[in-house]
Amino acid sequence: MAVAAAVHPAPHEEHPTSTGLSSRKMLFWAFLGSECMFFGSLIATYLVYRGRDTVGPHPHEVLNIPFTSFSAFVLLMSSLTMVLALAACQHGDRRGTAGWLAATALLGMTFVGGQCYEFTHFFYDGLKLQGNLFGCTFYVLTGFHGTHVTIGVIWLWTLFTLAIRGKLPQEKSLDVEIAGLYWHFVDVVWIAIFTLIYLIQ
Amino acid sequence: MATTTAPVGVATGTRTSFAAGVWSWITTVDHKRIGVLYGVTAFLFFLIGGLEALLIRIQLARPENTFVSPDFYNQLFTMHGTTMIFLAVMPLSASFFNFIIPLQIGARDVAFPRLNAFSYWVFLLGGIFLNLSFFLGGAPDTGWFGYSNLTSKQFSPGHGVDFWAIGLQVLGISSLAAAFNFIVTIINLRAPGMKLMRMPVFAWMTLVTAFLIILAFPVITVALVFLLFDRFVGTNFYVPASGADPVLWQHLFWLFGHPEVYILILPAMGIVSEVLPTFSRKPLFGYPVVVYSGIFIGFMGWGVWSHHMFSVGLGPIADSFFALTTMLIAIPTGVKIFNWIATMWGGRVELKTAMLFAVGFIAMFIMGGLSGVMHASPPADLQQTDTYFVVAHIHYVLFGGAIMGIFAGIYYWFPKITGRLLDERLGQIHFWLNIIALNVTFFPMHFVGLLGMPRRVYTYAPGLGFDTMNMISTVGVFAIVIATLVFIVNFLRSVRSGETTGSDPWGGATLEWAIPSPPPAYNFASIPTVHSVHPLWEADASDLIKDVNRVRGPIHMPPSSYWPAVAALGIALLMSGMIFGWWFGIPGLLIMLVGLYSWAFEPCH
């Protein structure tokens, strides 16, 4: 069966699939399902260990709800700009795509900056990673979330670079959509973390 | 790498491509070649794990033996368990996923060929990293489940546990990447007409396994993250003095660990569900019920983890709940067994080696299942916990079960992979030696276990009634070694000079038998349209076979790429930097980033 067949430089579109859904998008949904178990385990550990500390500082002594509410609001707004970036890309609006991507990334950076400020503050309040259970569960859980946001920010700047060089045309809006899925997921996880750690103490 | 001049039409797996150079193997994205790489690598790890078992059994042959030191004994049983589970059975299954799944569903490759190559390289490097620990200060010695707080810096000051925890994280990346890939491949790349309920059972079980992997591995990832933080940063996740509860580790570990048991056994169940109908010349009895049972096992596997923890003392309500769910999960397993038996019933049973291993799988798995159900009862389990009875149980399920199922798959698909048959006479010797030897080895363990011999202890006193049966077990292991040698001889001989075969030596029902052996790089010259669960047993099968092998136009195949291997190397260096220092970690990080970015921007069409 050695058949020499010419190989075509195929156009950049995905092969037809059994379900009609994009394979890349499906992979990403599966990845997010996996991420749910990852954050689920981290959050469950935080909840299991809540209230077991014999030494402080305790959550109500360090958590600054107004400040974190503000950074949570910033992160939520970044989901809006992400949606606008995708819409712009789907309409072939190059400047709009780049602009909204940059806005999303900047909002994400604001959130990460807020987290750095918060961590520093808590550290000087005596909350240590090596200290009590609240310390280690809090830092590791929110730290992993912050890492996710940081990876998202890098991803968004990568897309931004593509967009301003005109390499993110309408046909490639899936690239933006998948980054958006990730971004919205990280956002939703923060709603859960914010509610469970900050609001319900 | 942007060139798209991939040599379409060159059959892989033949002698020419074996000689085509290491580079073509490093850069390959062909699912068939990656499947071969997985299989060979995993089998070598299987031999290493077997060697560890052999040393364990020599030590236990006589009471108060001093063949190995207690410390080394601890390393041996830890690495034996870890190796067999993560480096042998899982990747051996992955080897079949790779080679067979695209062929069974009528696809030209997996959905993400480069991600597939990446999975393999991460697996290889993770396995090597884990085994390096033997030469760098001692292997992990805390058991394959690494109970906290034995794994703490206080009680395990060396690097063994670090190698274990980091190695498992690396291997987890490989398993997750592969599982995402196969979920999308199976859901999205099926040939036209192959509805979900027309998929071969092996494809179904692979799908369920892949879902279990993506949901179970993050849990152990988190458990290991806590452990690594405790050991490297000095946090208190598992430190009782700070109010932490070491049972947290057990919950997280077994919440992963029990689905993991099904990750190990479901692929083997899928394999025998292919082999039994072929050699009974009868469709699988109750196909939908077998599929639904597999899915049900997948769901229920999440609700039984605390039966590993009855001796913790979780209280009567928790114990009762997990006892009930454990008994419940025996039902779909029993349903499958009856379906397999009913498949053979009234069929024209042909006892080729593959079929013998499949039937042997059923018999051994029933025995392992029965002792498993005994563990479902907390009072009985309390007597059996940490005794050789449990060791007997897991070896009937994993050696008698998973490994026998994998051997059935090897004998069944070897002709498809190589174009040659494994020698039938040596195969029969292998099977009979293997099944007798495994019973000689593991059956006495039930008795020494019930007599109270604890597992994971390097020796025992004479006169407790353990002596004779331990000697019998050790003799049995030598017979397993001989059986395995017979297989290796058979394999090496048949790969070079075995009887050549056509596309379909067994008269199989599924699509992989419609194309030549070994398959061409593109698998199917034309993608078939499927109308049934067993397309090659339908009246129009000869038309289908002619059709799939007729080239109609240009075939586009993905070009090879070395970036997945580069990214894998970067990740392995980055993670090992936690032990070897920043001069490994920093270059690792950079190599990983270069690898991932180059991969992402590499034209794949």
Side-chain angles (χ1 to χ4, degrees), chain B residues 33 37 115 120 141 143 282 303 344 363 368 393 441 556 576:
Chain B
R33 296 182 119 202
L37 287 173
L115 185 64
Y120 169 73
D141 55 0
K282 246 182 91 195
M344 291 185 282
H393 162 69
T441 308
H556 172 72
S576 61

Side-chain angles (χ1 to χ4, degrees), chain A residues 5-81:
Chain A
V7 177
H8 271 206
H12 192 95
E13 54 192 38
E14 299 215 13
H15 301 289
T17 60
S18 312
T19 54
L21 303 170
S22 145
S23 287
R24 277 202 293 154
K25 213 198 273 188
M26 189 182 288
L27 178 115
F28 220 80
W29 276 109
F31 172 70
L32 295 184
S34 195
E35 286 271 72
C36 284
M37 293 302 285
F38 180 80
F39 279 107
S41 305
L42 287 169
I43 293 171
T45 302
Y46 178 85
L47 294 179
V48 166
Y49 277 172
R50 184 155 67 180
R52 291 175 72 110
D53 275 324
T54 44
V55 290
H58 298 288
H60 64 269
E61 291 161 2
V62 287
L63 295 180
N64 182 348
I65 296 181
F67 176 80
T68 315
S69 304
F70 173 72
S71 62
F73 176 75
V74 168
L75 194 63
L76 278 180
M77 285 306 106
S78 76
S79 261
L80 177 65
T81 54

Side-chain angles (χ1 to χ4, degrees), chain A residues 1-42 44-46 48-49 52-55 129-133 135-141 144 154-155 157-159 162, chain B residues 4-6 8-10 111-112 115 176-177 180-181 183-191 194 211 213-216 218-222 225-226 229-230 233-239 241-246 248 252 255 302 516 520 522 525 549-551 553-557 597 601 604-605:
Chain A
M1 278 313 297
V3 181
V7 177
H8 271 206
H12 192 95
E13 54 192 38
E14 299 215 13
H15 301 289
T17 60
S18 312
T19 54
L21 303 170
S22 145
S23 287
R24 277 202 293 154
K25 213 198 273 188
M26 189 182 288
L27 178 115
F28 220 80
W29 276 109
F31 172 70
L32 295 184
S34 195
E35 286 271 72
C36 284
M37 293 302 285
F38 180 80
F39 279 107
S41 305
L42 287 169
T45 302
Y46 178 85
V48 166
Y49 277 172
R52 291 175 72 110
D53 275 324
T54 44
V55 290
L129 184 58
Q130 293 92 341
N132 60 6
L133 290 177
C136 62
T137 51
F138 172 83
Y139 280 123
V140 170
L141 168 56
F144 264 107
I154 296 169
W155 191 348
W157 285 124
T158 309
L159 287 174
L162 290 177
Chain B
T4 48
T5 49
V8 175
V10 177
F112 302 93
L115 185 64
L176 283 167
F180 293 132
N181 207 344
I183 287 175
V184 178
T185 303
I186 293 171
I187 295 180
N188 243 0
L189 296 193
R190 281 165 290 134
M194 183 175 280
F211 270 107
I213 289 174
I214 69 163
L215 298 175
V219 183
I220 195 179
T221 301
V222 168
V225 163
F226 293 161
F229 265 99
D230 272 7
V233 187
T235 52
N236 292 313
F237 283 104
Y238 302 123
V239 181
S242 68
D245 190 348
L248 173 73
L252 291 174
L255 189 52
W302 291 93
Y522 48 77
N549 293 309
R550 186 183 302 141
V551 178
I555 295 171
H556 172 72
M557 293 304 290
Y597 263 82
F601 289 103
C604 60
H605 287 282

Side-chain angles (χ1 to χ4, degrees), chain B residues 298-316:
Chain B
F299 271 108
M300 284 297 298
W302 291 93
V304 297
W305 79 89
S306 283
H307 70 208
H308 297 271
M309 301 163 59
F310 283 147
S311 58
V312 169
L314 299 172

Side-chain angles (χ1 to χ4, degrees), chain B residues 271-282:
Chain B
I271 291 170
V272 300
S273 301
E274 301 297 317
V275 172
L276 288 167
T278 303
F279 294 100
S280 304
R281 311 303 304 157
K282 246 182 91 195

Side-chain angles (χ1 to χ4, degrees), chain B residues 22-40:
Chain B
V22 178
W23 187 246
S24 74
W25 284 91
I26 292 177
T27 60
T28 187
V29 294
D30 181 342
H31 71 96
K32 296 180 288 298
R33 296 182 119 202
I34 294 169
V36 170
L37 287 173
Y38 257 114
V40 171

